[in-house]
Amino acid sequence: MKTVALIAGVILLAFGLLFAGQGSGIIMWPASSFMLAARVWVVYGLGIAAVGAALLWWSRRR
């Protein structure tokens, strides 16, 4: 179970940071994305990244 949480945490953290980067305009890829420079995606992305970080923390506990 902890292995699944570790993998899910890494994926959620990566996607959350990608969404936040696109929403803030730091990552402007792909050019046709509706998420580019849309501030609401910064909030969504940081929330997703926080869930991913929590899963990583939980999966690494003894």
Side-chain angles (χ1 to χ4, degrees):
M1 184 65 178
K2 289 196 175 202
T3 303
V4 173
L6 177 68
I7 293 168
V10 168
I11 292 170
L12 285 172
L13 182 63
F15 275 103
L17 293 176
L18 174 66
F19 292 172
Q22 285 180 330
S24 64
I26 295 171
I27 301 171
M28 298 299 280
W29 172 84
S32 62
S33 177
F34 61 91
M35 295 167 51
L36 299 178
R39 298 287 178 191
V40 70
W41 284 101
V42 174
V43 176
Y44 293 158
L46 292 177
I48 292 168
V51 171
L55 279 173
L56 285 173
W57 172 79
W58 180 81
S59 70
R60 301 302 295 163
R61 282 185 35 207
R62 292 186 181 216

